[in-house]
Amino acid sequence: SPTDSHIQYERVGADVTMKCGSMDWDAAVTWTANGTDIDESHLNGSYLILKNVDLTQSGQYSCYEGSSWHLKYQTYLRVGIPPKEPVLMCRSNNYPKGFYCSWHLPTPTYIPNSFNISVIHGTREMVCEKDAFPRNRCHIRYLQLFSTVKYKVTLTVTNALGKNSTTLTFDEFAIVKPDPPESVVAKPVPSNPRRLEVSWKNPSSWPDPDSFPLKFFLRYRPLILDQWQHVELSDGTSHTITDAYAGKEYIIQVAAKDNDIGTWSDWSVAVHATPWTEEPMYLTTEAQLTETTSASTSSFMPPPTTKICDKGAVVGS
Amino acid sequence: MAAADSPSAALRRRDLCSRGIRLAGKMRSDVIDLLDAYVERQGLDASASVAVFEGVPVAAAEHWDEQTGTQRLLENLSAYRAFRSLLAQMLEEQREQLGEADAPLGQALAAVLLQVSAFTYHLEELLQLVSPGPPSEEGPGPPLPSHLSLFERKLRGLGVLRELAQWAVRSARDLRQLNKSSPGSSSAPSPAESP
């Protein structure tokens, strides 16, 4: 019947002709768009003609018989674009459990799209289990480790106006990229004006750091300079910086990489810390010293307030 | 000889594991350098997929995390013995085919062969410690590729080096598992491992 929900998809820029259901060409009719009458200039007999449609012309189009106002035809016009080649990325941040693939479209299509992903390893098709969130992502469990056979992942995107696909081919070890280290903490070392103690944790997504140890890259610089200093650490999750400029606030970040394969993680959240500094001694002048000696009170007066930073001496995320 | 789980044997085992992990790491980086040179010198395509040639030990493993220590060592040992023969064959072919024309590739190949041999002895020593008994028999070496064309031999060589690079990663992981499960091991890797 005319009111059946009928969706019509058209490309941006297309010319669209709508017939008024079974009505003759020369029948008297009225067309509305979202309930608003359409000017007769858009009609050719009882046909509705829409030239070079754009996104704003999406909506509900209805056709009524002239005299009886019976609804003869109704459609929902969706103006959109065929999908462009999707952007696909696969990565293992929980090696050796598996890897995930995520994707997005470089430009919107304004109409619904469906995605289909296939993962082939040698001759074996593997299941990519869709993640509830984020939506455009699925994960694959490694059935084999240390394989020299490449993985081939093909993502196909389809909508009412077209279809497109992307294929990635990669080695198991090439996509291993841990998440950044977590709980980075930097703190001054009492009585050491040039030291800062930095500690962090393995990313919680890395399942077995004992068998698959991570190595780390630490970078640090005083806020007043742009040049980073780097140090690579292949053991443990802490390091003492011994060449810090006394009294200068530092910014510190850490990255992680599997000891044997893959690429470096992104940098961790940055933390700030300032090396320990000597408490300033507020000495009074000689004259006052002699005067106060008989009063046998200490000439040393503590500084008004010792403020290292807002959140106390330890700054970390 | 110290019982397999005496303190000194445990220390010895951890030391062998740690040194083995470092040996595997060094071997892997040299094999990758050799692989790049081999692909270039032999005019091959680095991204080419290579079928598995008979006799070339495949590093891929399923249920790898369920293997026992002895299984790991036996599989490693069998693989590196095969690589020792395969690399020796490649060196022979390379000299026949290119003679001194490509000495650097030959030297790199010989250097990796030396490391593979050293690693094989290392594994034999470790196996003796982990599961004392008669030394495991060395099976017949991989078949000589007499029937292969020159191009097929080049592809086979590419396959050998790719699998060896993966085996080196796998061996490091295996030895870490062995280290983890050895008596008296704390979960953290032993200090002997730090550079």
Side-chain angles (χ1 to χ4, degrees), chain A residues 229-250:
Chain A
Q229 287 171 264
H230 295 88
V231 56
E232 182 168 335
L233 308 153
S234 59
D235 202 5
T237 55
S238 65
H239 176 71
T240 300
I241 295 169
T242 56
D243 58 354
Y245 290 119
K248 295 292 178 245
E249 184 181 1
Y250 269 75

Side-chain angles (χ1 to χ4, degrees), chain A residues 72-148:
Chain A
K72 287 298 181 182
Y73 179 70
Q74 192 168 64
T75 187
Y76 199 95
L77 175 64
R78 297 280 315 254
V79 180
I81 298 168
K84 289 202 168 59
E85 195 175 310
V87 178
L88 174 62
M89 185 275 286
C90 295
R91 173 182 166 206
S92 172
N93 65 339
N94 62 345
Y95 189 80
K97 273 192 176 170
F99 62 92
Y100 70 83
C101 292
S102 62
W103 57 85
H104 67 272
L105 289 179
T107 53
T109 63
Y110 307 102
I111 57 175
N113 306 292
S114 68
F115 295 90
N116 179 276
I117 191 163
S118 96
V119 181
I120 309 280
H121 183 224
T123 55
R124 180 189 272 176
E125 171 124 22
M126 303 179 74
V127 172
C128 196
E129 291 157 39
K130 287 277 174 78
D131 289 345
F133 179 81
R135 267 189 35 249
N136 288 5
R137 187 165 121 158
C138 64
H139 58 275
I140 299 101
R141 230 164 25 83
Y142 281 125
L143 301 179
Q144 247 185 8
L145 288 182
F146 317 114
S147 171
T148 55

Side-chain angles (χ1 to χ4, degrees), chain B residues 124-141:
Chain B
E124 282 160 355
E125 192 178 349
L126 193 48
L127 184 60
Q128 264 307 309
L129 206 57
V130 167
S131 94
S136 67
E137 287 308 314
E138 182 152 356

Side-chain angles (χ1 to χ4, degrees), chain B residues 4-85:
Chain B
D5 51 7
S6 72
S8 63
L11 263 180
R12 178 89 186 107
R13 165 176 164 154
R14 287 173 56 73
D15 177 52
L16 282 173
C17 283
S18 305
R19 279 194 293 121
I21 289 166
R22 280 204 298 276
L23 264 176
K26 169 74 168 80
M27 183 164 52
R28 179 168 190 256
S29 65
D30 289 354
V31 170
I32 286 177
D33 292 343
L34 173 58
L35 199 47
D36 294 341
Y38 186 85
V39 161
E40 189 198 321
R41 294 292 210 298
Q42 304 286 22
L44 295 168
D45 171 3
S47 63
S49 287
V50 178
V52 179
F53 281 87
E54 191 201 347
V56 177
V58 172
E62 299 198 0
H63 311 301
W64 170 81
D65 49 350
E66 297 160 12
Q67 285 190 337
T68 66
T70 304
Q71 274 173 327
R72 293 179 193 283
L73 284 174
L74 288 174
E75 286 194 16
N76 270 262
L77 199 46
S78 153
Y80 284 95
R81 283 172 173 163
F83 280 122
R84 195 167 47 185
S85 309

